[in-house]
Amino acid sequence: MNIDCTTSLIEIKSQHISLKVPHLSVKTHSNRPSLKPLRNVTRRKMKSKLVTKNKFYNPCNEVHTKTNGTTCGLREIMIGRCSHYQYIKNGFVQPNGSRAKNCTELYEAFESAVRYKSYCNMNMSTYGRYFELALGDLHVINRAMFWSGTYAIAHTYGSNGRNYVTLEDTLAAAMVNGLTWCGKENDTEGFDFVSCPYRCKDNQWADYAFWGLASKTFAQLAAGEVYVVLNGSQANGKSAFRNDSYFRSFELPNLRQNGTYRVTKVNILVLHSPDAEVVERCGQKSLLELERLVQNKGFDYACEDDPEELILIMCSEHWHARECQVARQVLRQTWNKKLYGISNSNRNLLSLVIFSLIFGFNFIF
Amino acid sequence: MNIDCTTSLIEIKSQHISLKVPHLSVKTHSNRPSLKPLRNVTRRKMKSKLVTKNKFYNPCNEVHTKTNGTTCGLREIMIGRCSHYQYIKNGFVQPNGSRAKNCTELYEAFESAVRYKSYCNMNMSTYGRYFELALGDLHVINRAMFWSGTYAIAHTYGSNGRNYVTLEDTLAAAMVNGLTWCGKENDTEGFDFVSCPYRCKDNQWADYAFWGLASKTFAQLAAGEVYVVLNGSQANGKSAFRNDSYFRSFELPNLRQNGTYRVTKVNILVLHSPDAEVVERCGQKSLLELERLVQNKGFDYACEDDPEELILIMCSEHWHARECQVARQVLRQTWNKKLYGISNSNRNLLSLVIFSLIFGFNFIF
């Protein structure tokens, strides 16, 4: 043990540089449309009610600002992502050595489902061929990770398929994640680049046409043990296992119960964010119902609140949260010891930890 | 303060789920070729010495495995990334509302520099037009982050330009980051998809043609305060501020000393990885020389060892490291208290922290 009490704390702290608070997730939420309670609706041929000033106006040709319509460069972005996925990322999700897919063919299968079509004329089979081409030969064994209300942390932890595979790590979803698109009838481009409706009053299936089928298809590919990251700190009376979640509506019902590639166990990870209330934990409220549903389907069930692996990530992203302060101080002092071999700082830390633990963390905040 | 001693620890731990160790960085290193000490070399027209069995053989048309040559789908990936960068990412690095660049034109400027050309016939001006088109109108003010030996953590913390802007967050570098390419003379494709040399014995400038100019150009765009993340735990006798680093060879010499967009201050962040030795810290060895060079150029200088923001990220990625264990336990117990209001666990933790701090962390490992 190297103790060097001659180095003063003043010297150590003299050059503090003001740094930005870490925000590690670039994309913090999904762009799946939120679900309304599912109803049975008679599908009718609908006309888009959107009116644009000039039907040949395309903002992609102008000085660029983000629009509410189809993402400019949709074709190039999708084909580029497909090539990246297959030639660079390949190996994380799809087995190395598998036959490369034709990215142009994939894009065209997607395009033919949407281009020149009215948004409200979509349904759950619209993108069928696209998903079949993109995911037809895939099985995600012991690595599938579902999420609900936990987009950012599930994806940070999953690490683009390196640790776990989320829906967004599959080729079909990776090609469009974060993009917006909607078709436009009687238009030269066939896409509406000005505004997409997001909601179709008389045909809710239009809203789920892509992400509903994506979720269903991904659930059907999951095998062995699967992982579900839920939010036990939901505000505004929302449950961790919500009635109107994609997980409940499209994923859980489609996990395979039979065959070689059946699901064996469902592992639930319930997270409670720093600085947020604990609304539900394993074995409580909606999680009791989830347990019953999982067991009724014949799967093993396990549930864990806040695995350590994920707490540290939560604190990395919520640096200033009350519950992360003592650990942050512990790390500072550990590194000071590593750097300078100081034992004085240990005594400061010790006082901090003793008081904070005895008096409930309140005195330091 | 809510204390509920009726919940036993056994109940809490009964459903532990075995999880993967977090690895948050998908890409852990740069693909800039490493530098040799720069020499003055008379440039000569060289012929590539690579021999392939069949000069019309292109592995991209086969069942896909990674090759050592040009990345399959280079054109599609580059144009797709360019579109993504401008239509989705735009705002992080380039000002929102700036005129969209023509991605095909950009790719073609890149392609014309390399296609049908011998690898060894490159030099530091080869990609000049590409960088001018891609970065001509950019200034990175108070947010430029350089790195040397710290690729993964600098990029995790920089968060794709959200916090800080690294070279790889600029359009010119983002379009090719992680890709491989080399031209091939007398070939129908004009690219060698089988193997790229990486080293040109008689013309070292070929090796730096792209990433050398990229580093130089990025340094010239940096303004105000800049940040440099260095590795104070380098193994094998390497320095934190190395003679043969891109930072020293291409970046530091090109920081602007004059004009509206001059650099005012260089902030050095020296990191010491968990479970690694402290080889150098601020004010020691090569960092003394760095300080002298920075001050000679008229910039203010600051240096900080292991800012807290970065320690937590290092521990998120090196979960099992000795120096992260106490903080990990502190977080576990903090969350147990949040979840179950247990005070018993505080006493366990207190013992752990007291002993680890007094006896130098050794007893628990």
Side-chain angles (χ1 to χ4, degrees):
Chain A
M1 199 167 80
N2 177 20
I3 299 176
D4 173 10
C5 298
T6 57
T7 315
S8 78
L9 277 173
I10 294 159
E11 271 176 20
I12 297 168
K13 279 287 172 193
S14 64
Q15 288 212 310
H16 185 75
I17 297 168
S18 169
L19 291 170
K20 291 193 174 35
V21 173
H23 293 286
L24 310 185
S25 307
V26 177
K27 191 167 178 294
T28 55
H29 61 278
S30 159
N31 61 334
R32 294 195 295 205
S34 57
L35 296 184
K36 297 165 291 188
L38 292 169
R39 301 169 274 127
N40 283 325
V41 177
T42 315
R43 260 189 300 110
R44 288 172 282 164
K45 185 155 173 120
M46 303 292 300
K47 279 197 181 172
S48 169
K49 287 172 188 152
L50 283 174
V51 179
T52 54
K53 283 180 194 164
N54 175 344
K55 71 181 186 180
F56 300 111
Y57 172 67
N58 182 346
C60 299
N61 300 331
E62 306 276 309
V63 170
H64 184 65
T65 46
K66 272 190 184 168
T67 70
N68 294 318
T70 301
T71 306
C72 301
L74 184 75
R75 179 192 172 93
E76 290 72 24
I77 295 172
M78 285 183 67
I79 293 177
R81 286 186 182 182
C82 171
S83 301
H84 174 102
Y85 192 95
Q86 298 197 81
Y87 296 123
I88 300 175
K89 191 173 169 171
N90 203 349
F92 279 162
V93 178
Q94 291 183 311
N96 205 358
S98 61
R99 181 165 281 280
K101 291 175 196 293
N102 181 330
C103 290
T104 306
E105 187 186 352
L106 257 180
Y107 170 76
E108 283 167 357
F110 176 89
E111 190 189 84
S112 71
V114 60
R115 198 171 178 187
Y116 303 113
K117 305 243 176 88
S118 155
Y119 176 85
C120 288
N121 200 19
M122 303 272 146
N123 62 54
M124 286 280 286
S125 68
T126 299
Y127 296 96
R129 189 172 134 71
Y130 172 72
F131 281 103
E132 199 179 305
L133 281 173
L135 303 180
D137 51 356
L138 184 68
H139 297 284
V140 184
I141 301 166
N142 294 332
R143 298 211 299 142
M145 180 169 271
F146 302 91
W147 54 270
S148 185
T150 54
Y151 183 90
I153 191 157
H155 286 86
T156 301
Y157 182 45
S159 192
N160 290 94
R162 184 167 158 185
N163 299 328
Y164 293 95
V165 178
T166 64
L167 165 59
E168 292 73 14
D169 296 317
T170 64
L171 177 58
M175 282 173 68
V176 298
N177 194 20
L179 310 186
T180 303
W181 66 91
C182 56
K184 193 173 175 189
E185 287 176 300
N186 306 320
D187 178 85
T188 46
E189 298 280 356
F191 286 109
D192 193 328
F193 289 102
V194 177
S195 177
C196 287
Y198 292 108
R199 282 276 176 236
C200 202
K201 205 164 75 74
D202 299 295
N203 176 20
Q204 66 178 331
W205 298 107
D207 301 327
Y208 315 139
F210 189 88
W211 289 109
L213 184 58
S215 297
K216 177 180 170 181
T217 308
F218 181 59
Q220 289 168 338
L221 304 174
E225 295 201 26
V226 302
Y227 298 83
V228 186
V229 188
L230 299 179
N231 185 345
S233 303
Q234 292 274 32
N236 307 323
K238 278 193 195 172
S239 300
F241 177 57
R242 295 200 328 269
N243 270 336
D244 57 351
S245 68
Y246 279 84
F247 175 63
R248 181 169 196 153
S249 304
F250 296 109
E251 291 168 342
L252 185 59
N254 286 297
L255 294 176
R256 281 193 194 280
Q257 292 168 275
N258 302 302
T260 312
Y261 293 107
R262 71 185 177 281
V263 168
T264 55
K265 186 179 178 187
V266 177
N267 296 293
I268 309 294
L269 313 175
V270 183
L271 301 188
H272 303 91
S273 309
D275 280 350
E277 292 294 306
V278 175
V279 178
E280 284 172 280
R281 50 185 170 89
C282 292
Q284 293 184 332
K285 304 178 190 172
S286 71
L287 297 167
L288 273 175
E289 196 193 346
L290 172 57
E291 182 169 359
R292 189 181 55 77
L293 286 173
V294 166
Q295 287 173 341
N296 281 352
K297 286 178 75 81
F299 306 136
D300 287 339
Y301 177 89
C303 184
E304 187 177 347
D305 293 297
D306 305 306
E308 283 168 38
E309 290 83 347
L310 290 152
I311 297 176
L312 203 45
I313 300 174
M314 288 195 279
C315 278
S316 293
E317 303 232 3
H318 297 274
W319 186 236
H320 287 302
R322 197 177 60 96
E323 285 117 337
C324 304
Q325 297 308 307
V326 177
R328 181 177 158 177
Q329 291 298 318
V330 167
L331 287 174
R332 173 76 275 159
Q333 300 299 335
T334 308
W335 253 258
N336 281 355
K337 187 164 162 47
K338 177 184 172 88
L339 286 163
Y340 312 104
I342 294 167
S343 59
N344 266 347
S345 60
N346 288 350
R347 283 194 277 278
N348 298 340
L349 174 64
L350 197 57
S351 319
L352 178 84
V353 173
I354 289 170
F355 279 95
S356 64
L357 293 175
I358 293 175
F359 297 105
F361 298 100
N362 298 322
F363 85 102
I364 47 169
F365 310 108
Chain B
M1 200 168 80
N2 177 20
I3 298 176
D4 172 12
C5 298
T6 56
T7 316
S8 78
L9 278 171
I10 294 160
E11 272 176 18
I12 300 168
K13 279 285 169 193
S14 64
Q15 287 212 311
H16 185 77
I17 297 168
S18 169
L19 290 171
K20 291 193 175 31
V21 173
H23 293 287
L24 310 185
S25 307
V26 176
K27 190 165 179 297
T28 55
H29 60 280
S30 161
N31 61 335
R32 294 195 296 204
S34 57
L35 298 185
K36 298 166 289 186
L38 293 170
R39 299 167 276 127
N40 284 325
V41 177
T42 317
R43 261 188 300 111
R44 285 171 285 166
K45 188 160 171 118
M46 304 292 300
K47 280 196 180 170
S48 169
K49 287 175 185 148
L50 282 174
V51 179
T52 54
K53 281 178 193 165
N54 174 344
K55 70 179 184 179
F56 300 112
Y57 171 69
N58 180 346
C60 299
N61 301 330
E62 305 275 306
V63 169
H64 184 66
T65 47
K66 272 189 185 170
T67 70
N68 294 319
T70 301
T71 306
C72 301
L74 184 74
R75 179 192 172 92
E76 289 72 23
I77 295 172
M78 285 182 67
I79 292 177
R81 285 185 183 183
C82 171
S83 301
H84 174 102
Y85 192 93
Q86 299 198 79
Y87 296 124
I88 300 174
K89 191 174 167 171
N90 201 349
F92 280 163
V93 179
Q94 292 183 309
N96 205 1
S98 61
R99 181 165 283 279
K101 290 174 195 295
N102 182 329
C103 290
T104 306
E105 187 186 352
L106 258 181
Y107 171 76
E108 283 167 359
F110 175 90
E111 192 190 82
S112 70
V114 59
R115 199 172 178 187
Y116 303 113
K117 305 246 176 85
S118 156
Y119 176 85
C120 288
N121 201 17
M122 302 272 146
N123 62 54
M124 285 280 286
S125 68
T126 299
Y127 296 97
R129 189 172 133 73
Y130 171 73
F131 281 103
E132 198 179 306
L133 280 174
L135 304 181
D137 51 356
L138 184 68
H139 298 284
V140 184
I141 302 166
N142 294 331
R143 299 212 298 141
M145 181 169 270
F146 302 92
W147 55 269
S148 184
T150 54
Y151 182 90
I153 189 157
H155 286 85
T156 300
Y157 182 46
S159 193
N160 290 97
R162 186 170 156 181
N163 299 328
Y164 293 96
V165 177
T166 64
L167 166 59
E168 292 73 13
D169 296 316
T170 64
L171 177 58
M175 280 174 69
V176 298
N177 194 20
L179 310 186
T180 302
W181 66 90
C182 56
K184 195 174 176 189
E185 287 176 300
N186 307 318
D187 179 83
T188 46
E189 299 279 356
F191 286 107
D192 193 327
F193 289 101
V194 176
S195 178
C196 287
Y198 293 107
R199 282 276 175 233
C200 201
K201 205 163 75 65
D202 299 295
N203 176 19
Q204 64 180 331
W205 297 106
D207 301 327
Y208 316 138
F210 188 88
W211 289 109
L213 185 56
S215 297
K216 178 181 169 180
T217 308
F218 181 59
Q220 289 169 338
L221 304 174
E225 296 201 26
V226 303
Y227 299 83
V228 186
V229 188
L230 298 179
N231 185 344
S233 304
Q234 292 275 31
N236 307 321
K238 278 193 197 171
S239 300
F241 177 57
R242 296 199 328 267
N243 272 335
D244 59 350
S245 68
Y246 279 84
F247 175 63
R248 182 172 195 148
S249 305
F250 297 109
E251 291 166 344
L252 185 58
N254 285 297
L255 294 177
R256 281 194 194 280
Q257 292 169 272
N258 301 302
T260 313
Y261 293 107
R262 70 184 178 279
V263 167
T264 55
K265 185 179 179 188
V266 177
N267 296 292
I268 308 293
L269 313 174
V270 183
L271 301 188
H272 302 91
S273 309
D275 279 351
E277 291 294 306
V278 175
V279 178
E280 281 171 281
R281 50 184 170 90
C282 292
Q284 292 183 333
K285 302 179 192 171
S286 71
L287 296 167
L288 274 175
E289 196 193 346
L290 173 57
E291 183 169 356
R292 190 182 54 76
L293 286 174
V294 166
Q295 287 172 343
N296 282 351
K297 285 179 75 80
F299 307 137
D300 288 339
Y301 177 89
C303 184
E304 186 177 346
D305 293 297
D306 304 306
E308 283 169 38
E309 291 83 347
L310 289 151
I311 298 176
L312 202 45
I313 299 174
M314 289 195 278
C315 278
S316 293
E317 303 231 4
H318 297 274
W319 187 236
H320 287 302
R322 196 177 61 96
E323 284 118 337
C324 305
Q325 297 308 306
V326 176
R328 180 176 159 178
Q329 291 298 319
V330 167
L331 287 174
R332 173 76 277 158
Q333 300 299 335
T334 308
W335 253 258
N336 282 356
K337 186 164 162 47
K338 180 183 169 84
L339 287 163
Y340 313 105
I342 294 166
S343 60
N344 266 348
S345 60
N346 288 350
R347 283 192 277 278
N348 298 339
L349 173 62
L350 196 56
S351 319
L352 178 84
V353 173
I354 290 171
F355 279 95
S356 64
L357 292 175
I358 293 174
F359 297 106
F361 299 100
N362 297 322
F363 84 104
I364 49 170
F365 310 108

